Amino acid sequence: MSKPTDELFKNVISHCKEYGFVFQSSEIYDGLSAVYDYGQNGSELKNNIKTYWWKSMVQMHDNIVGIDSAIFMHPTIWKASGHVDGFSDPMIDNKVTNKRYRADQLLEDKIAKYEADGEADKAAALQTAMDNALKAEDLPRLKELIIEQDIQDPLSKDKPDWTDVRQFNLMFSTQMGAIAGDADVVYLRPETAQGIFVNYLNVQKSGRMKIPFGIAQIGKAFRNEVIARQFIIRMREFEQMEMQYFVRPGTQREWFEKWKEARLKWHLALGTDAAKYRYHEHTKLAHYADAAYDIEFDFPFGFKEVEGIHSRTDFDLSQHEKFSRKKMQYFDPELDENGKPYGNYIPYVIETSIGLDRMFLLTMINAYEEEDLSTPERQDSRTVLRLHPCLAPVKAAIFPLTKKDGLPEKAREIMDKLKLDFNIQYEEKDAIGKRYRRQDAIGTPFCITVDHQTLEDNTVTIRHRDTMVQERVAADDLEKIIGGLVSWKNLL
Ligand code: GAP
């Protein structure tokens, strides 16, 4: 049954809470804004998404390796990368309500309104004025535009009294060591990529990597977002899955195109409707990039970035060479078209950077369905998560038909064999129909029922989540049946 999109989004959020996928962090203390915890099913789903990414990026490429660098890094790294001076958003407060907004976001919303009202000229003029102000870092001009455009506080009907626009650095800082002082300031990393850059020579040398090669990493990143909204889309603590691909200068465009295509393929392999994805080309490039595309997904609130593919040039490695005074050069022994070795150079970098939490939300939204099962005789429905079996938190649930006659013992005996390979859940409470519904709601592909016939011939019924079809199979075949459907071979 199709739902209006905002209702669908609300239902997915409450489903996440009700079934142990995502909880508001520190909920019993009224929560912490834009910070979330993953519950028992959410953490399994998240781990499976990570495994899918890691296998396809690291295991499937003999020239890509994975690392796990520390969250704390030398503070000069963030000077070199440009984050200390440039990783900020222009913010403005309404003194009447004490609410804080991103000045560029207020203007973007106004531009979108002009566009929606068919006033393309006004939209274009405001876009140009805003772009010029941002480029020139002309913060007073941004405020002027907000006032000229008569922009109201989105959360209040009262006339706003705007403060000046100020730059707000998004990095969290803290102190390292016992004595607090400027020299001890360290940052919580705002991207995992820098941990890769500063280890690039360690990995290249210890792994005898030859260009082109990649380094991948999954880990937490932290940003003190000015406005955090839309559930786990914009969080202050989140997780990234990033890969830096080191290439010969001059070949970056070719590799950029390859990774752009490969990454969309990775998304589509999960069976998602291709119409739900699109590329968005960046026209305003980040300080380090010479080309950038986003892969966007059609969320219930519109298309939003899930992943970025960036051609980062040699910016980061050159900056680290300058700030650390350590050579970041790679020696390339291969011969060019004139028969001369390429020799020493700083590699160019193509980056693929996907937000794990956004991928998680996308997966939940895609999978969530309220299915009408009514017949002329009786009204019925179920909520089912049609997750790809490789991503499902629980691969099979095992139910004894009753709590007596040795059925629980037999069910546990079957489970003990299967749990070596799969995440299996045992349930004996409530009628079988209710147990099916609970497993449908968390996306379990198989439910296995142990009944009296099992004790006689060692067969069980297996019920398939999507079709709800049941069949009788030998208990000894379960490993093969489940293994066939949840094998990573189906995705890679
Ligand atoms: N290293 C490049 C980089 O960090 P980015 O576009 O800023 O690029 C990459 O971030 C991805 O991280 C985004 O596509 C998005 O999925 C995710 N992301 C960024 N900020 C986020 C936030 N505040 N909350 C959740 N995910 C975020």
Side-chain angles (χ1 to χ4, degrees):
M1 200 200 309
S2 85
K3 291 248 166 197
T5 50
D6 51 345
E7 196 182 334
L8 168 71
F9 188 42
K10 273 191 207 140
N11 290 350
V12 169
I13 295 174
S14 44
H15 194 84
C16 278
K17 180 172 177 194
E18 190 179 344
Y19 287 94
F21 284 91
V22 183
F23 307 124
Q24 173 71 61
S25 162
S26 321
E27 191 183 323
I28 59 168
Y29 290 94
D30 296 334
L32 186 64
S33 169
V35 186
Y36 291 89
D37 298 336
Y38 285 83
Q40 65 279 22
N41 290 316
S43 50
E44 292 286 347
L45 172 56
K46 205 174 171 201
N47 278 340
N48 293 338
I49 296 173
K50 286 190 213 183
T51 304
Y52 173 37
W53 186 85
W54 193 266
K55 279 183 185 289
S56 72
M57 299 302 272
V58 178
Q59 204 166 312
M60 299 302 288
H61 291 97
D62 55 13
N63 66 342
I64 302 181
V65 292
I67 64 163
D68 182 11
S69 70
I71 287 171
F72 289 135
M73 294 196 275
H74 196 287
T76 310
I77 287 172
W78 304 111
K79 267 260 165 220
S81 67
H83 284 83
V84 169
D85 297 323
F87 194 56
S88 46
D89 283 335
M91 66 168 190
I92 191 164
D93 293 4
N94 177 3
K95 287 186 247 176
V96 179
T97 57
N98 280 330
K99 293 277 179 225
R100 175 165 295 172
Y101 300 98
R102 269 176 57 175
D104 56 335
Q105 196 67 57
L106 290 175
L107 291 166
E108 292 281 9
D109 291 349
K110 185 76 181 183
I111 292 165
K113 186 160 186 327
Y114 279 141
E115 277 165 355
D117 295 346
E119 297 186 278
D121 289 354
K122 283 188 181 169
L126 183 53
Q127 184 78 55
T128 309
M130 180 182 83
D131 289 350
N132 289 342
L134 286 171
K135 218 171 179 179
E137 291 184 28
D138 188 348
L139 302 181
R141 178 68 188 135
L142 283 178
K143 182 177 177 181
E144 261 171 42
L145 286 172
I146 287 170
I147 290 168
E148 275 170 20
Q149 294 290 328
D150 197 23
I151 291 175
Q152 301 302 306
D153 184 326
L155 295 176
S156 157
K157 288 197 175 69
D158 296 330
K159 189 107 189 108
D161 179 8
W162 297 114
T163 59
D164 287 341
V165 177
R166 283 158 294 157
Q167 285 292 8
F168 179 75
N169 194 296
L170 300 186
M171 281 198 297
F172 286 100
S173 62
T174 185
Q175 269 95 30
M176 185 165 263
I179 305 160
D182 268 2
D184 309 301
V185 166
V186 288
Y187 299 99
L188 298 188
R189 65 182 178 199
E191 61 170 11
T192 59
Q194 296 304 323
I196 292 178
F197 288 123
V198 297
N199 277 299
Y200 124 89
L201 274 183
N202 283 337
V203 173
Q204 189 270 320
K205 287 188 176 139
S206 58
R208 288 172 290 126
M209 312 295 290
K210 283 208 185 88
I211 270 192
F213 71 91
I215 305 178
Q217 155 152 256
I218 299 176
K220 290 264 178 161
F222 304 83
R223 295 183 189 175
N224 197 2
E225 299 284 358
V226 177
I227 13 171
R229 58 180 175 195
Q230 286 158 336
F231 193 40
I232 54 174
I233 280 280
R234 195 166 292 285
M235 302 156 85
R236 297 203 165 101
E237 174 180 340
F238 59 101
E239 225 166 326
Q240 290 185 314
M241 305 192 286
E242 298 201 297
M243 193 275 301
Q244 318 296 132
Y245 202 69
F246 300 88
V247 305
R248 199 174 275 154
T251 63
Q252 68 270 25
R253 192 72 217 184
E254 178 195 326
W255 287 111
F256 180 74
E257 291 302 329
K258 280 196 177 139
W259 279 112
K260 199 179 118 202
E261 239 175 71
R263 290 307 305 149
L264 186 57
K265 254 193 185 160
W266 180 89
H267 286 267
L268 296 178
L270 285 166
T272 315
D273 176 6
K276 293 225 153 210
Y277 279 103
R278 73 178 187 197
Y279 287 120
H280 166 75
E281 185 179 5
H282 281 224
T283 44
K284 281 178 275 168
L285 291 170
H287 59 275
Y288 50 72
D290 72 359
Y293 269 81
D294 292 339
I295 293 176
E296 294 186 337
F297 178 77
D298 191 6
F299 286 96
F301 38 83
F303 275 95
K304 271 258 175 266
E305 171 188 353
V306 179
E307 174 157 6
I309 323 293
H310 310 126
S311 175
R312 286 183 81 130
T313 69
D314 58 355
F315 174 84
D316 301 86
L317 293 179
S318 301
Q319 286 291 99
H320 290 308
E321 180 166 286
K322 195 166 128 197
F323 279 72
S324 68
R325 299 202 198 92
K326 305 279 176 353
K327 283 265 172 264
M328 289 288 148
Q329 310 264 327
Y330 168 84
F331 177 72
D332 190 338
E334 286 192 26
L335 306 180
D336 65 16
E337 59 273 23
N338 303 316
K340 280 194 178 155
Y342 283 99
N344 286 308
Y345 57 79
I346 293 185
Y348 271 48
V349 172
I350 305 302
E351 166 182 77
T352 72
S353 174
I354 171 168
L356 178 54
D357 310 270
R358 289 190 192 180
M359 186 62 205
F360 181 100
L361 182 59
L362 169 172
T363 306
M364 288 296 290
I365 286 169
N366 248 345
Y368 183 90
E369 189 182 332
E370 288 170 23
E371 196 180 3
D372 187 359
L373 301 173
S374 299
T375 58
E377 293 77 42
R378 171 172 103 89
Q379 285 222 317
D380 195 10
S381 68
R382 67 167 181 163
T383 301
V384 54
L385 280 191
R386 296 191 190 276
L387 291 170
H388 191 289
C390 289
L391 302 188
V394 176
K395 303 305 181 195
I398 187 147
F399 310 150
L401 186 65
T402 64
K403 285 192 216 165
K404 48 184 201 250
D405 303 335
L407 297 184
E409 291 75 10
K410 181 67 187 171
R412 285 196 179 274
E413 181 193 310
I414 295 172
M415 181 174 91
D416 285 345
K417 278 194 204 143
L418 293 174
K419 75 183 184 192
L420 297 168
D421 288 305
F422 312 109
N423 191 21
I424 307 287
Q425 218 169 63
Y426 175 86
E427 277 208 69
E428 59 177 30
K429 253 202 194 140
D430 298 324
I432 289 283
K434 257 197 174 169
R435 289 184 249 173
Y436 282 154
R437 289 291 182 272
R438 277 202 294 268
Q439 294 299 328
D440 288 343
I442 63 168
T444 306
F446 298 110
C447 290
I448 299 156
T449 305
V450 170
D451 56 20
H452 292 91
Q453 194 182 327
T454 314
L455 303 178
E456 286 163 23
D457 62 7
N458 204 33
T459 62
V460 293
T461 60
I462 182 163
R463 183 252 197 193
H464 298 257
R465 176 196 71 198
D466 292 340
T467 56
M468 294 187 285
V469 167
Q470 297 180 31
E471 51 179 332
R472 192 127 203 130
V473 301
D476 292 339
D477 289 343
L478 285 172
E479 193 180 324
K480 213 163 106 206
I481 296 170
I482 302 169
L485 201 73
V486 309
S487 165
W488 290 105
K489 283 192 199 120
N490 300 329
L491 269 181
L492 299 171

